Amino acid sequence: MAPGGGICKDVIESRITFAEYDMATSSAELRGSPLRKAATSLGGNLGQTSTNDVHELLECPVCLNLMYPPIYQCPNGHTVCSICKARVHNSCPTCRNELGNIRCLALEKVAESLELPCRYQILGCHDIFPYYSKLKHEKNCRYRPYHCPYAGAECSVTGDIPFLVMHLKNDHKVDMHDGCTFNHRYVKSNPHEVENATWMLTVFNCFGRQFCLHFEAFHIGMAPVYMAFLRFMGDEDEARQFSYSLEVGGYGRKVTWQGVPRSIRDSHRKVRDSQDGLIIQRNLALFFSGGDRQELKLKVAGRIWKEQ
């Protein structure tokens, strides 16, 4: 073992149980949070010395996240995660010695023996996972918070659906409507100013769930287009229980679209770039608008229904 490698020896001699281990994935995120308190009540006494020691050993001193293999250590036994090893330019963040490529295999082995609850336990996930499977699960856990579906600004707010509905209403001033049918009019004084920006977001309460209707202008290649599409405020498996139709037209002509709303787990940009919605070329949109074609006046009608 490398000089000063006693840190790994101490880990091997520790007898870790689920009840003793701090359940937070990232102490920086969850230290002092309700999730940590919930873990305390469900996981036992987290104040024991062995628990604190192991938590500190598994925590990267740079990013404060739990470490996954490969876990590196300097000759004095200080550890760092593989991502931060590159960030600190191979210099130990604790003693400044060169890190090299020494692995702390003992610490990796101890981590392998742990079984921990999902970090979203307080939100409803009660499954238990091996240490090295936990991170993969949490990336796709159905109880993980949703991102704000508003696309007109870089909004970093996350939360459950009721929280996001109030956030959209109060902070983004999004229009809220009740009902499963709609007929909206979109007007733009200069339709030739097409930018990659959202025009409008409307939320519909339908079947006791919430749906986001997006309407915007952007380019597909060099061609300016308008696009309308629907996103469901929930997971993909729930979204597949619904269908919707959109229709736009004028002067005896119309374009229709029928599809399945996308979950807000898919980002706004991902849905838009997949062209999964009603797409209208600008010349056709101006034809539907009538007049001298100098102003966009589109009427978009739609309906949401639940599949049997």
Side-chain angles (χ1 to χ4, degrees):
M1 180 174 293
I7 183 170
C8 291
K9 181 175 182 293
D10 292 340
V11 173
I12 285 183
E13 293 174 349
S14 298
R15 300 296 296 176
I16 311 304
T17 65
F18 163 70
E20 292 175 332
Y21 187 71
D22 184 350
M23 293 184 252
T25 296
S26 167
S27 61
E29 285 182 314
L30 302 179
R31 185 179 289 119
S33 73
L35 182 55
R36 183 181 175 91
K37 295 175 183 177
T40 303
S41 63
L42 293 170
N45 182 7
L46 297 180
Q48 299 179 10
T49 302
S50 61
T51 299
N52 292 334
D53 289 344
V54 171
H55 184 275
E56 291 177 2
L57 291 176
L58 288 171
E59 181 183 277
C60 174
V62 179
C63 65
L64 303 182
N65 290 326
L66 294 184
M67 296 184 289
Y68 293 85
I71 299 174
Y72 291 98
Q73 66 172 351
C74 76
N76 290 324
H78 305 125
T79 55
V80 67
C81 74
S82 58
I83 295 176
C84 291
K85 180 176 181 285
R87 292 177 179 171
V88 298
H89 305 291
N90 206 39
S91 174
C92 175
T94 303
C95 66
R96 305 306 175 188
N97 279 330
E98 183 178 352
L99 281 170
N101 292 306
I102 305 172
R103 293 272 293 274
C104 189
L105 300 179
L107 187 56
E108 293 177 7
K109 192 68 175 179
V110 167
E112 185 178 311
S113 69
L114 297 177
E115 288 190 347
L116 307 175
C118 174
R119 68 185 296 183
Y120 304 120
Q121 184 181 67
I122 196 173
L123 300 178
C125 184
H126 300 300
D127 293 331
I128 305 297
F129 300 92
Y131 186 89
Y132 293 138
S133 301
K134 180 174 177 284
L135 192 63
K136 181 179 179 180
H137 160 78
E138 288 171 349
K139 289 181 179 179
N140 298 289
C141 178
R142 66 188 301 262
Y143 293 99
R144 70 193 188 279
Y146 295 89
H147 291 278
C148 172
Y150 190 79
E154 293 297 329
C155 183
S156 60
V157 169
T158 62
D160 60 16
I161 299 303
F163 172 80
L164 289 181
V165 170
M166 295 305 299
H167 166 67
L168 289 170
K169 180 180 179 180
N170 297 331
D171 298 328
H172 294 301
K173 311 302 179 185
V174 170
D175 289 334
M176 303 281 175
H177 296 276
D178 294 322
C180 299
T181 60
F182 48 89
N183 194 333
H184 278 276
R185 184 183 180 92
Y186 298 98
V187 178
K188 187 173 179 63
S189 58
N190 187 352
H192 296 282
E193 293 180 358
V194 178
E195 299 177 351
N196 290 312
T198 296
W199 282 17
M200 185 175 291
L201 170 64
T202 307
V203 174
F204 294 93
N205 297 303
C206 174
F207 296 107
R209 306 307 298 267
Q210 289 72 41
F211 299 82
C212 298
L213 176 64
H214 297 266
F215 185 84
E216 65 178 88
F218 67 107
H219 286 88
I220 296 179
M222 298 297 294
V225 299
Y226 307 106
M227 182 175 178
F229 58 92
L230 201 70
R231 286 202 292 167
F232 173 73
M233 296 189 71
D235 281 331
E236 183 179 354
D237 57 342
E238 298 177 290
R240 287 195 294 264
Q241 300 174 18
F242 300 92
S243 295
Y244 75 101
S245 63
L246 297 173
E247 178 181 306
V248 62
Y251 300 95
R253 297 168 178 82
K254 66 180 179 181
V255 176
T256 61
W257 164 266
Q258 180 174 320
V260 176
R262 299 281 290 270
S263 166
I264 61 172
R265 294 289 191 199
D266 290 334
S267 69
H268 162 270
R269 181 176 292 275
K270 179 179 179 179
V271 179
R272 190 198 71 181
D273 291 349
S274 70
Q275 302 177 33
D276 190 5
L278 176 64
I279 298 177
I280 313 157
Q281 299 292 330
R282 183 171 67 186
N283 287 340
L284 183 59
L286 292 176
F287 174 80
F288 289 152
S289 301
D292 57 4
R293 300 192 177 191
Q294 296 303 309
E295 184 177 35
L296 182 71
K297 296 178 181 179
L298 282 181
K299 293 180 180 179
V300 177
R303 180 172 71 93
I304 304 168
W305 66 92
K306 195 169 186 177
E307 296 292 347
Q308 300 299 321

